[in-house]
Amino acid sequence: NAGVTQTPKFRILKIGQSMTLQCTQDMNHNYMYWYRQDPGMGLKLIYYSVGAGITDKGEVPNGYNVSRSTTEDFPLRLELAAPSQTSVYFCASRSGLAGLYEQYFGPGTRLTVT
Amino acid sequence: GESVGLHLPTLSVQEGDNSIINCAYSNSASDYFIWYKQESGKGPQFIIDIRSNMDKRQGQRVTVLLNKTVKHLSLQIAATQPGDSAVYFCAEKGGYQKVTFGIGTKLQVIP
């Protein structure tokens, strides 16, 4: 299993540009998450999904959108990039089985908005 | 511990010594806790977890202790190795999909 994969690894955007961060998992996990990690800060939840077709906002959803058309994929969309969105973005998944809360993380996407 | 500005708390340990990393959690209703390890440039990786009905759990070279009275969690790493150098952070599950991650502690292993 490849686990959770993310593309791209790095990206530089200009203010106002758009982009999609890709996330795929091959573990047949129901639950998927997007986090951002800023220097010296804990992971902040942006959006999550409990299954295909179901998404919900996390702690910091403004400026982002997600979709979940398949179990495997959970892309994160930035419509109008702002410098405040400069961060490292992590996608994660977990099985959803009762009592199992361990999340498996991807390697991250480092985004800079200038 | 809490960070000040952009600086993570750092723990420097001699190779072979034991390491103890602490975490204060915020929600007395949290029922599940996880420790993650994050190496530079990588995503967090699960180390060990513990439920609120336990006060100690052991894994391979790692032990997690939970003190619910003072809302404190600790991770003990035995015989610390250079490969243990990373940022370690705890996470608490306080409700449906409500997982809160701590800021983290940087562990530096001195060869």
Side-chain angles (χ1 to χ4, degrees):
Chain A
N1 285 353
V4 179
T5 57
Q6 292 182 239
T7 57
K9 284 186 169 31
F10 304 93
R11 184 74 188 266
I12 298 174
L13 281 182
K14 293 190 187 306
I15 295 170
Q17 285 185 320
S18 302
M19 78 163 293
T20 299
L21 282 67
Q22 301 291 346
C23 176
T24 300
Q25 53 91 10
D26 62 358
M27 297 173 282
N28 202 32
H29 284 172
N30 287 325
Y31 290 66
M32 295 187 75
Y33 306 84
W34 273 107
Y35 295 93
R36 59 178 288 171
Q37 186 178 44
D38 300 311
M41 305 292 286
L43 291 165
K44 300 292 185 187
L45 181 64
I46 305 172
Y47 270 95
Y48 67 95
S49 169
V50 301
I54 306 169
T55 64
D56 209 345
K57 296 178 181 178
E59 190 179 352
V60 290
N62 291 345
Y64 308 93
N65 275 301
V66 293
S67 59
R68 184 96 183 269
S69 56
T70 66
T71 299
E72 294 77 20
D73 301 304
F74 190 40
L76 177 71
R77 178 89 178 152
L78 282 70
E79 290 294 348
L80 291 170
S84 61
Q85 293 178 304
T86 294
S87 189
V88 181
Y89 291 84
F90 289 101
C91 178
S93 72
R94 72 174 177 95
S95 69
L97 292 175
L100 294 179
Y101 300 105
E102 175 189 347
Q103 294 184 24
Y104 295 78
F105 286 82
T109 294
R110 185 175 294 274
L111 176 67
T112 302
V113 182
T114 61
Chain B
E2 296 295 324
S3 70
V4 177
L6 301 180
H7 303 289
L8 288 175
T10 300
L11 175 66
S12 296
V13 174
Q14 205 73 35
E15 181 179 355
D17 287 351
N18 296 335
S19 303
I20 300 176
I21 301 169
N22 297 304
C23 176
Y25 64 92
S26 57
N27 186 353
S28 56
S30 292
D31 59 359
Y32 179 79
F33 305 86
I34 306 179
W35 278 100
Y36 286 93
K37 172 186 181 182
Q38 187 175 20
E39 296 175 271
S40 181
K42 296 184 179 180
Q45 181 182 9
F46 171 88
I47 303 173
I48 191 168
D49 58 0
I50 189 168
R51 299 190 185 283
S52 60
N53 60 356
M54 304 169 68
D55 52 21
K56 180 179 180 178
R57 189 161 188 225
Q58 288 185 289
Q60 189 177 13
R61 276 202 312 119
V62 294
T63 300
V64 56
L65 299 178
L66 174 62
N67 185 331
K68 293 183 287 294
T69 303
V70 295
K71 293 190 286 186
H72 183 268
L73 201 63
S74 70
L75 177 72
Q76 300 179 3
I77 304 174
T80 312
Q81 303 168 359
D84 295 328
S85 293
V87 173
Y88 292 81
F89 54 91
C90 64
E92 59 179 298
K93 175 185 163 294
Y96 179 70
Q97 300 304 332
K98 178 68 174 173
V99 176
T100 304
F101 292 84
I103 295 166
T105 296
K106 184 176 182 179
L107 176 65
Q108 290 182 332
V109 181
I110 304 164

